[in-house]
Amino acid sequence: MPSLIQKYNVQGPRYTSYPTVPYWDMNSFSGKAWKQTLQKSFEESNDTEGISLYIHLPYCESMCTFCGCHKRISKKHEVEMPYIKSVLKEWHLYCDLFDSKPIIKELHLGGGTPTFFAPEHLKMLIDGIFRRAEKSDHHVFSFEGHPNNTSREHLQTLFDLGFRRVSFGVQDYSEKVQKAIHRVQPFENVKRVTEWSREIGYTSVGHDIIFGLPHQKIEDIRETIDKTNKLRPDRLAFYSYAHVPWLKGNGQRGFKDEDLPGAEEKRQQYELGKKLLTDVGYFEIGMDHFALKSDSLYKAFEAGTMHRNFMGYTDSKTQLMIGLGASSISDSWYSFAQNVKSIEEYQHLVDHNIIPIYRGHLLSEEDLVIRRHILNLMCTMGTSWEDERLQFKEVELVLEHLREMELDGLVNTNTNKLSVTETGRPFVRNVCMAFDLLMHRKAPEKRVFSMTI
């Protein structure tokens, strides 16, 4: 394994989309084209499967130095209502494009810190969304909560609005690691919000933990997973820390590079974490994700219906996903569009009745085929091009890139299908890169991706 780590620890995307953002073609994209693909996708899918809605709530009271998300640090809570009004205005701009009410199947509040917002303001936001929309009979609503500031009132308010999934960012329980990443939260805080969630009736409680953090040791992984097991969250995201200090404003400069574990130690942390989790009944169901058999994400993985989008893994697939709020990304399946990142610019554009996108990509026929293969790999650990609709001209090039991975025991291939082996699962990003035709044609001009290990 150490030699495989050294060999395959390269820069690579996480493939929440294909094409990945650095390869979006801005020249052929326009606001008009985006609206056309949006309306097409809505007409094709709203009545049959509904749509997904992601709402980005970017405010945090303090900076966590492991975070690469778009956020605004503030302790001034008077920013809440103006921002919510802008999000609702943006939603109305979208609803005006449709001939019928959107049927929302999936809704997720992300951040930032959604629980920065007061419970009554979150209620106003959700109530405002459904003045122009309906809930699907099979809706799945979820949100991200900070263990330090999620109150029982937050949990009860959102539960009463239809939310049944919540995930809490834990990261690591070592005090030294927590101080390095500026995210100090005692185990008691996580225990309290986890128990409240279950008492109220949430059916899926998730925890996010990270390996490869500054000052993190093997013993820290063992302690964190031991404490995690005491709370038995229904699902777990066990992420590799993505060190991307070159991104403007991401805050990842609170420690030195030499404080980070090396690639081999990082992989040892992952292998230990995976073993400890599987030993106590968690199943690896996709890149970075584990779940108990009782959880809906595990059931979707077993049924082959799990999906992946800009929100990560989901058991609730929709063709159309609309992202609201500063920096949010939308996906009509035929195109991607991202909102402006500045909160002030976002609010200004929305106030002037302009859907606040600033970049995007229209997917070509080739893009759509490759996107399907990468989705298959990320969600089912395999793909096939037996169906002529999934065939593409450069299959021999892809197989050539996979040949060495097959010799290393990471994949099994034949002329028209591929499967990722148990050994290859930690390297699924590398397998996806073999299918990334745009990256083969032109390597990034500067560093834009984190390391795959």
mmCIF file of all heavy atoms in Angstrom, residues 94-118:
data_model
loop_
_atom_site.group_PDB
_atom_site.id
_atom_site.type_symbol
_atom_site.label_atom_id
_atom_site.label_comp_id
_atom_site.label_asym_id
_atom_site.label_seq_id
_atom_site.Cartn_x
_atom_site.Cartn_y
_atom_site.Cartn_z
ATOM 1 N N TYR A 94 -36.586 32.595 -10.055
ATOM 2 C CA TYR A 94 -36.606 31.280 -10.693
ATOM 3 C C TYR A 94 -38.040 30.809 -10.923
ATOM 4 O O TYR A 94 -38.389 30.318 -12.007
ATOM 5 C CB TYR A 94 -35.842 30.261 -9.850
ATOM 6 C CG TYR A 94 -34.362 30.239 -10.140
ATOM 7 C CD1 TYR A 94 -33.436 30.677 -9.199
ATOM 8 C CD2 TYR A 94 -33.879 29.777 -11.357
ATOM 9 C CE1 TYR A 94 -32.070 30.658 -9.463
ATOM 10 C CE2 TYR A 94 -32.511 29.752 -11.636
ATOM 11 C CZ TYR A 94 -31.616 30.196 -10.692
ATOM 12 O OH TYR A 94 -30.274 30.180 -10.977
ATOM 13 N N CYS A 95 -38.883 30.938 -9.907
ATOM 14 C CA CYS A 95 -40.266 30.462 -10.037
ATOM 15 C C CYS A 95 -41.005 31.164 -11.171
ATOM 16 O O CYS A 95 -41.876 30.564 -11.821
ATOM 17 C CB CYS A 95 -41.007 30.650 -8.716
ATOM 18 S SG CYS A 95 -40.438 29.554 -7.396
ATOM 19 N N ASP A 96 -40.647 32.425 -11.426
ATOM 20 C CA ASP A 96 -41.285 33.167 -12.513
ATOM 21 C C ASP A 96 -40.987 32.562 -13.893
ATOM 22 O O ASP A 96 -41.693 32.846 -14.868
ATOM 23 C CB ASP A 96 -40.828 34.632 -12.494
ATOM 24 C CG ASP A 96 -41.401 35.414 -11.317
ATOM 25 O OD1 ASP A 96 -42.369 34.934 -10.699
ATOM 26 O OD2 ASP A 96 -40.854 36.491 -11.006
ATOM 27 N N LEU A 97 -39.932 31.739 -13.972
ATOM 28 C CA LEU A 97 -39.569 31.117 -15.256
ATOM 29 C C LEU A 97 -40.383 29.859 -15.540
ATOM 30 O O LEU A 97 -40.367 29.357 -16.667
ATOM 31 C CB LEU A 97 -38.076 30.741 -15.255
ATOM 32 C CG LEU A 97 -37.074 31.879 -15.098
ATOM 33 C CD1 LEU A 97 -35.656 31.310 -14.966
ATOM 34 C CD2 LEU A 97 -37.151 32.831 -16.295
ATOM 35 N N PHE A 98 -41.080 29.340 -14.540
ATOM 36 C CA PHE A 98 -41.760 28.055 -14.675
ATOM 37 C C PHE A 98 -43.264 28.236 -14.884
ATOM 38 O O PHE A 98 -43.872 29.176 -14.364
ATOM 39 C CB PHE A 98 -41.513 27.186 -13.440
ATOM 40 C CG PHE A 98 -40.050 26.986 -13.117
ATOM 41 C CD1 PHE A 98 -39.597 27.033 -11.803
ATOM 42 C CD2 PHE A 98 -39.120 26.752 -14.125
ATOM 43 C CE1 PHE A 98 -38.261 26.846 -11.498
ATOM 44 C CE2 PHE A 98 -37.775 26.557 -13.835
ATOM 45 C CZ PHE A 98 -37.342 26.612 -12.513
ATOM 46 N N ASP A 99 -43.862 27.287 -15.602
ATOM 47 C CA ASP A 99 -45.303 27.330 -15.883
ATOM 48 C C ASP A 99 -46.131 26.698 -14.780
ATOM 49 O O ASP A 99 -47.363 26.817 -14.777
ATOM 50 C CB ASP A 99 -45.606 26.619 -17.212
ATOM 51 C CG ASP A 99 -45.021 27.361 -18.408
ATOM 52 O OD1 ASP A 99 -44.913 28.602 -18.325
ATOM 53 O OD2 ASP A 99 -44.676 26.701 -19.410
ATOM 54 N N SER A 100 -45.486 26.000 -13.867
ATOM 55 C CA SER A 100 -46.209 25.364 -12.769
ATOM 56 C C SER A 100 -45.363 25.450 -11.501
ATOM 57 O O SER A 100 -44.185 25.823 -11.545
ATOM 58 C CB SER A 100 -46.507 23.898 -13.102
ATOM 59 O OG SER A 100 -45.305 23.184 -13.334
ATOM 60 N N LYS A 101 -45.976 25.105 -10.376
ATOM 61 C CA LYS A 101 -45.259 25.170 -9.103
ATOM 62 C C LYS A 101 -44.166 24.111 -9.039
ATOM 63 O O LYS A 101 -44.400 22.943 -9.355
ATOM 64 C CB LYS A 101 -46.230 24.942 -7.938
ATOM 65 C CG LYS A 101 -46.885 26.203 -7.404
ATOM 66 C CD LYS A 101 -47.600 25.896 -6.098
ATOM 67 C CE LYS A 101 -48.112 27.187 -5.458
ATOM 68 N NZ LYS A 101 -48.734 26.918 -4.139
ATOM 69 N N PRO A 102 -42.973 24.477 -8.625
ATOM 70 C CA PRO A 102 -41.942 23.462 -8.404
ATOM 71 C C PRO A 102 -42.373 22.485 -7.307
ATOM 72 O O PRO A 102 -42.974 22.889 -6.302
ATOM 73 C CB PRO A 102 -40.717 24.270 -7.965
ATOM 74 C CG PRO A 102 -40.972 25.663 -8.453
ATOM 75 C CD PRO A 102 -42.456 25.847 -8.395
ATOM 76 N N ILE A 103 -42.064 21.216 -7.515
ATOM 77 C CA ILE A 103 -42.302 20.189 -6.497
ATOM 78 C C ILE A 103 -40.937 19.839 -5.913
ATOM 79 O O ILE A 103 -40.089 19.262 -6.605
ATOM 80 C CB ILE A 103 -42.971 18.950 -7.103
ATOM 81 C CG1 ILE A 103 -44.325 19.342 -7.722
ATOM 82 C CG2 ILE A 103 -43.155 17.861 -6.049
ATOM 83 C CD1 ILE A 103 -44.949 18.246 -8.559
ATOM 84 N N ILE A 104 -40.717 20.209 -4.667
ATOM 85 C CA ILE A 104 -39.386 20.044 -4.076
ATOM 86 C C ILE A 104 -39.278 18.674 -3.414
ATOM 87 O O ILE A 104 -39.995 18.364 -2.463
ATOM 88 C CB ILE A 104 -39.083 21.166 -3.072
ATOM 89 C CG1 ILE A 104 -39.105 22.535 -3.794
ATOM 90 C CG2 ILE A 104 -37.726 20.931 -2.409
ATOM 91 C CD1 ILE A 104 -38.858 23.711 -2.881
ATOM 92 N N LYS A 105 -38.350 17.880 -3.951
ATOM 93 C CA LYS A 105 -38.100 16.544 -3.405
ATOM 94 C C LYS A 105 -36.976 16.577 -2.387
ATOM 95 O O LYS A 105 -37.025 15.888 -1.374
ATOM 96 C CB LYS A 105 -37.758 15.583 -4.533
ATOM 97 C CG LYS A 105 -37.543 14.141 -4.075
ATOM 98 C CD LYS A 105 -37.235 13.245 -5.252
ATOM 99 C CE LYS A 105 -37.058 11.790 -4.799
ATOM 100 N NZ LYS A 105 -36.700 10.914 -5.950
ATOM 101 N N GLU A 106 -35.956 17.375 -2.668
ATOM 102 C CA GLU A 106 -34.797 17.433 -1.785
ATOM 103 C C GLU A 106 -34.479 18.888 -1.485
ATOM 104 O O GLU A 106 -34.434 19.716 -2.396
ATOM 105 C CB GLU A 106 -33.598 16.748 -2.441
ATOM 106 C CG GLU A 106 -32.356 16.689 -1.563
ATOM 107 C CD GLU A 106 -31.204 15.965 -2.235
ATOM 108 O OE1 GLU A 106 -31.151 15.919 -3.471
ATOM 109 O OE2 GLU A 106 -30.343 15.436 -1.510
ATOM 110 N N LEU A 107 -34.253 19.196 -0.211
ATOM 111 C CA LEU A 107 -33.897 20.552 0.192
ATOM 112 C C LEU A 107 -32.787 20.442 1.230
ATOM 113 O O LEU A 107 -32.899 19.670 2.188
ATOM 114 C CB LEU A 107 -35.116 21.279 0.771
ATOM 115 C CG LEU A 107 -34.993 22.777 1.041
ATOM 116 C CD1 LEU A 107 -36.374 23.422 1.043
ATOM 117 C CD2 LEU A 107 -34.311 23.068 2.383
ATOM 118 N N HIS A 108 -31.722 21.192 1.024
ATOM 119 C CA HIS A 108 -30.592 21.129 1.948
ATOM 120 C C HIS A 108 -30.121 22.526 2.287
ATOM 121 O O HIS A 108 -29.936 23.370 1.398
ATOM 122 C CB HIS A 108 -29.440 20.335 1.332
ATOM 123 C CG HIS A 108 -28.270 20.174 2.254
ATOM 124 N ND1 HIS A 108 -28.299 19.355 3.373
ATOM 125 C CD2 HIS A 108 -27.030 20.737 2.242
ATOM 126 C CE1 HIS A 108 -27.120 19.421 3.990
ATOM 127 N NE2 HIS A 108 -26.337 20.252 3.334
ATOM 128 N N LEU A 109 -29.918 22.772 3.573
ATOM 129 C CA LEU A 109 -29.340 24.030 4.045
ATOM 130 C C LEU A 109 -27.880 23.786 4.351
ATOM 131 O O LEU A 109 -27.537 22.983 5.238
ATOM 132 C CB LEU A 109 -30.056 24.516 5.312
ATOM 133 C CG LEU A 109 -31.575 24.684 5.254
ATOM 134 C CD1 LEU A 109 -32.103 25.189 6.597
ATOM 135 C CD2 LEU A 109 -31.976 25.649 4.134
ATOM 136 N N GLY A 110 -26.990 24.474 3.615
ATOM 137 C CA GLY A 110 -25.554 24.308 3.820
ATOM 138 C C GLY A 110 -24.901 25.630 4.132
ATOM 139 O O GLY A 110 -25.532 26.686 4.103
ATOM 140 N N GLY A 111 -23.598 25.581 4.384
ATOM 141 C CA GLY A 111 -22.933 26.812 4.770
ATOM 142 C C GLY A 111 -21.454 26.818 4.458
ATOM 143 O O GLY A 111 -20.982 26.002 3.681
ATOM 144 N N GLY A 112 -20.765 27.725 5.153
ATOM 145 C CA GLY A 112 -21.194 28.504 6.301
ATOM 146 C C GLY A 112 -21.758 27.651 7.444
ATOM 147 O O GLY A 112 -21.537 26.473 7.553
ATOM 148 N N THR A 113 -22.544 28.305 8.257
ATOM 149 C CA THR A 113 -23.183 27.666 9.402
ATOM 150 C C THR A 113 -24.669 27.998 9.377
ATOM 151 O O THR A 113 -25.062 29.078 9.836
ATOM 152 C CB THR A 113 -22.555 28.172 10.714
ATOM 153 O OG1 THR A 113 -21.145 27.974 10.681
ATOM 154 C CG2 THR A 113 -23.132 27.437 11.912
ATOM 155 N N PRO A 114 -25.512 27.088 8.870
ATOM 156 C CA PRO A 114 -26.949 27.382 8.856
ATOM 157 C C PRO A 114 -27.516 27.721 10.228
ATOM 158 O O PRO A 114 -28.426 28.559 10.341
ATOM 159 C CB PRO A 114 -27.557 26.083 8.304
ATOM 160 C CG PRO A 114 -26.488 25.552 7.403
ATOM 161 C CD PRO A 114 -25.196 25.861 8.120
ATOM 162 N N THR A 115 -26.966 27.107 11.278
ATOM 163 C CA THR A 115 -27.484 27.399 12.608
ATOM 164 C C THR A 115 -26.927 28.694 13.196
ATOM 165 O O THR A 115 -27.175 29.005 14.367
ATOM 166 C CB THR A 115 -27.220 26.206 13.565
ATOM 167 O OG1 THR A 115 -25.853 25.772 13.431
ATOM 168 C CG2 THR A 115 -28.139 25.048 13.235
ATOM 169 N N PHE A 116 -26.185 29.462 12.386
ATOM 170 C CA PHE A 116 -25.890 30.864 12.712
ATOM 171 C C PHE A 116 -27.206 31.641 12.751
ATOM 172 O O PHE A 116 -27.371 32.584 13.538
ATOM 173 C CB PHE A 116 -24.968 31.435 11.633
ATOM 174 C CG PHE A 116 -24.712 32.921 11.706
ATOM 175 C CD1 PHE A 116 -23.581 33.413 12.341
ATOM 176 C CD2 PHE A 116 -25.588 33.835 11.113
ATOM 177 C CE1 PHE A 116 -23.331 34.779 12.384
ATOM 178 C CE2 PHE A 116 -25.337 35.197 11.159
ATOM 179 C CZ PHE A 116 -24.206 35.674 11.808
ATOM 180 N N PHE A 117 -28.155 31.242 11.900
ATOM 181 C CA PHE A 117 -29.438 31.931 11.772
ATOM 182 C C PHE A 117 -30.391 31.496 12.882
ATOM 183 O O PHE A 117 -30.439 30.322 13.264
ATOM 184 C CB PHE A 117 -30.064 31.619 10.411
ATOM 185 C CG PHE A 117 -29.364 32.296 9.258
ATOM 186 C CD1 PHE A 117 -28.125 31.841 8.818
ATOM 187 C CD2 PHE A 117 -29.927 33.379 8.612
ATOM 188 C CE1 PHE A 117 -27.464 32.462 7.767
ATOM 189 C CE2 PHE A 117 -29.283 34.009 7.558
ATOM 190 C CZ PHE A 117 -28.045 33.555 7.145
ATOM 191 N N ALA A 118 -31.153 32.439 13.395
ATOM 192 C CA ALA A 118 -32.110 32.153 14.454
ATOM 193 C C ALA A 118 -33.197 31.211 13.945
ATOM 194 O O ALA A 118 -33.578 31.264 12.772
ATOM 195 C CB ALA A 118 -32.744 33.450 14.951
#
